[in-house]
Amino acid sequence: MGEIKGIRKQLNSEVEPLNSEVAPLNSEVEPLNSEVEPLNSEVAPLNSEVEPLNSEVEPLNSEVAPLNSEVEPLNSEVAPLNSEVEFLRLKYESLQMTNDK
């Protein structure tokens, strides 16, 4: 019995400092809970709408992933061409404005 009291006393001495750290945090969290609870009631019906959509999207993700690996190298080829096209577009507009004069 004395051994149990000793263990309790030791545990209490370890827990009491933690309680003093937790108490101020609780006072910060409690007002936030009152803000979150109404939001939860708004989110719950949306979750029931989203969950079926997730089951439709997940198979599509597995189809898209390999395509992304094909597209990414093409993007690096297209990027320089985009700037060249933009330059040519500006040059064309400039020439058009010159011809319009």
Side-chain angles (χ1 to χ4, degrees):
M1 190 73 154
E3 187 177 332
I4 293 175
K5 281 187 178 181
I7 293 172
R8 280 187 181 164
K9 190 173 186 177
Q10 180 183 348
L11 290 175
N12 282 338
S13 68
E14 291 176 22
V15 168
E16 285 174 10
L18 296 175
N19 283 340
S20 64
E21 289 179 37
V22 168
L25 296 175
N26 282 339
S27 65
E28 291 178 33
V29 168
E30 285 171 5
L32 297 175
N33 282 339
S34 65
E35 292 178 32
V36 167
E37 287 170 6
L39 297 175
N40 283 338
S41 64
E42 291 178 33
V43 167
L46 298 175
N47 283 338
S48 64
E49 292 178 34
V50 168
E51 286 170 5
L53 297 175
N54 283 339
S55 64
E56 292 178 33
V57 167
E58 287 169 6
L60 297 175
N61 284 339
S62 64
E63 291 178 34
V64 168
L67 297 175
N68 283 339
S69 63
E70 292 178 32
V71 167
E72 286 170 6
L74 297 175
N75 284 339
S76 63
E77 292 178 34
V78 167
L81 296 175
N82 283 339
S83 59
E84 194 173 326
V85 165
E86 180 62 14
F87 170 76
L88 293 172
R89 184 186 67 77
L90 292 172
K91 190 172 182 178
Y92 175 76
E93 286 178 4
S94 174
L95 289 171
Q96 255 189 332
M97 288 177 18
T98 303
N99 286 339
D100 289 347
K101 287 182 181 178

